Amino acid sequence: MNQHARLDPAPIPFIDVAAQRRRLGRSVDDAIARVLGHCQFILGPEVGAFEADLAAFCGARHAVTCASGTDALVLVLMAKGIGPGDAVICPSFTFTATAEVVALVGATPVFADVEETTFNLDPDSLRRACVAARKLGLRAKAVIPVDLFGQPADYDRITPIAEAEGLFVLDDAAQAFGATYKNRRLGALAPATATSFFPAKPLGCYGDGGAVLTDDEELAQVMRSLRVHGEGRDKYDCARIGLNGRLDTIQAAVLIEKLKIFPEEIVARERVARRYCAGLADLAAVPRLAHGSTSVWAQYTIRLPAGTRDHLAAALKSQGIPTAIYYPIPLHRQRPYQGYPVAEGGAPVSERLAGEVISLPMHAYLDDATQDRIITAVRRALAR
Ligand SMILES: Cc1ncc(COP(=O)(O)O)c(C=O)c1O
């Protein structure tokens, strides 16, 4: 090789699942080996044990695990009997699963806007979405606030509106499990909270997985039936129409080990977020936490003037630094959702954010030197 050839900088992972594997050492391998030993791959003892750990972690009475974060949302909507003729209010600036599940159960998603500061559901737009639903002759039955990028939605403002409008609150905490709102963990704030254990999530497994947290005994029981084809007294007594939506025992075994280190990982994520803020706040709009909230920083998402982020993404990519855009198109503008109603006044903030956001590498194992490389590269690109 020509000794003067320029070496490409080592690529940086966006999320370093392998670093976490190293930290966990043999604990996960041993946990999986135990399942391979007892062979109870479906609803084995690890599933119940993990559900108990998860409920205790967030202060909810019941944790009902399931096959994905999407199934977690579906199970709640099914258990609440939501279907055709019903409207469910969702923010437009979120991942497709939030609204997809509403359409899947035959109900109508009605899109509301989000707030500039937190990117989370705007309570005023929630009110206007209920008006839009009523005008269309729909029964507004539920609202799905999303705790986007790791930060809780504003439940103290959302709950009174939901109560006044008769809406069931289903918290989509797929990105934020572990975060707190006024000293309470998500999972204990809404009547039902859905989360995802997709590997890239703050608490992820090694495949797909999800859970619903609730204090409602009856709701938990119905969801336990729904996730096993609606089983009743036993396997071949069919009490209701359900689905195959169980968490694999192997994934539960992995999650038991990962939950043990999760509190430390949350602290590490907070540190990374603080360092990004210190290094970038003078150049870009960095994320802000609402008073009384903590975040688990599923993403570290900055905002740039429209039209400038492509330049930043290209400059970083050339230095081995990945970025991602969550989300380039608000849901009400996505093809499958264009026919669904939007709150009166539209969703202008969601549309603006879609053109301005860009997310930087974020995980609990981002060391100072690597993060400094990212910060320096962002600063250089933005200075140009
Ligand atoms: C906000 C939100 N809701 C729901 C989901 C669905 O979770 P899963 O991929 O586990 O089905 C995701 C996953 O990315 C998400 O980000």
Side-chain angles (χ1 to χ4, degrees):
M1 196 175 86
N2 177 345
Q3 61 174 334
H4 299 298
R6 220 189 54 173
L7 287 175
D8 284 334
I12 292 173
F14 192 69
I15 292 172
D16 198 344
V17 181
Q20 190 198 46
R21 277 275 296 136
R22 288 193 292 277
R23 151 91 199 269
L24 285 160
R26 287 214 46 86
S27 66
V28 168
D29 305 53
D30 292 346
I32 293 174
R34 283 193 291 276
V35 180
L36 296 179
H38 66 55
C39 291
Q40 295 179 60
F41 299 118
I42 302 295
L43 296 183
E46 283 80 358
V47 174
F50 174 60
E51 287 178 341
D53 290 352
L54 197 67
F57 177 82
C58 69
R61 282 215 189 104
H62 307 278
V64 179
T65 54
C66 57
S68 68
T70 307
D71 273 5
L73 294 165
V74 168
L75 285 173
V76 177
L77 296 179
M78 286 175 80
K80 295 305 289 181
I82 289 170
D86 297 336
V88 178
I89 321 298
C90 313
S92 180
F93 194 61
T94 178
F95 182 59
T96 181
T98 310
E100 177 184 59
V101 292
V102 179
L104 277 175
V105 297
T108 303
V110 178
F111 292 106
D113 208 359
V114 297
E115 297 195 294
E116 291 269 357
T117 40
T118 60
F119 308 166
N120 280 331
L121 182 67
D122 175 352
D124 293 330
S125 184
L126 165 61
R127 253 194 221 103
R128 293 195 293 272
C130 292
V131 174
R134 266 196 301 276
K135 280 193 180 161
L136 290 166
L138 298 164
R139 300 175 298 262
K141 281 282 187 67
V143 54
I144 309 185
V146 178
D147 312 307
L148 204 74
F149 303 152
Q151 171 166 203
D154 195 346
Y155 291 93
D156 278 0
R157 284 165 68 214
I158 291 168
T159 306
I161 299 170
E163 278 169 7
E165 298 281 351
L167 305 174
F168 182 83
V169 181
L170 165 53
D171 171 11
D172 182 347
Q175 302 182 7
F177 187 74
T180 61
Y181 177 84
K182 303 192 177 162
N183 295 321
R184 292 167 72 198
R185 276 207 205 276
L186 293 181
L189 279 160
T193 300
T195 194
S196 163
F197 304 125
F198 183 78
K201 296 291 188 252
L203 178 63
C205 57
Y206 292 154
D208 277 308
V212 182
L213 292 311
T214 184
D215 283 347
D216 183 337
E217 167 89 40
E218 193 188 329
L219 179 66
Q221 254 177 25
V222 174
M223 292 189 296
R224 286 185 198 284
S225 159
L226 285 168
R227 72 177 175 182
V228 192
H229 302 288
E231 76 174 7
R233 286 183 304 278
D234 59 51
K235 214 170 164 187
Y236 298 109
D237 172 42
C238 192
R240 50 184 63 80
I241 292 177
L243 62 149
N244 177 357
R246 299 163 294 224
L247 180 73
D248 291 347
T249 311
I250 286 184
Q251 298 304 341
V254 169
L255 283 161
I256 288 171
E257 299 309 314
K258 290 221 198 176
L259 188 58
K260 289 179 190 163
I261 62 165
F262 190 42
E264 279 171 44
E265 291 186 331
I266 294 174
V267 172
R269 284 173 174 277
E270 280 166 347
R271 180 171 184 277
V272 172
R274 272 198 305 277
R275 291 190 87 249
Y276 268 141
C277 180
L280 297 174
D282 60 326
L283 274 183
V286 294
R288 298 279 170 207
L289 289 182
H291 181 67
S293 291
T294 64
S295 175
V296 287
W297 302 103
Q299 305 297 341
Y300 193 86
T301 303
I302 60 173
R303 276 177 81 179
L304 298 173
T308 56
R309 72 179 173 198
D310 288 352
H311 158 72
L312 175 67
L316 295 188
K317 190 173 176 202
S318 72
Q319 295 170 64
I321 302 170
T323 55
I325 293 174
Y326 305 111
Y327 297 91
I329 305 174
L331 284 188
H332 69 285
R333 295 277 180 213
Q334 293 274 12
R335 279 191 311 284
Y337 297 108
Q338 281 169 8
Y340 288 113
V342 181
E344 304 205 325
V349 177
S350 300
E351 293 187 14
R352 229 180 1 262
L353 290 176
E356 297 179 3
V357 290
I358 182 162
S359 303
L360 303 175
M362 164 53 87
H363 55 87
Y365 302 90
L366 192 56
D367 62 74
D368 289 0
T370 310
Q371 190 179 15
D372 288 345
R373 203 180 118 196
I374 300 167
I375 291 171
T376 305
V378 173
R379 295 193 68 84
R380 280 209 191 111
L382 293 183
R384 259 186 254 134

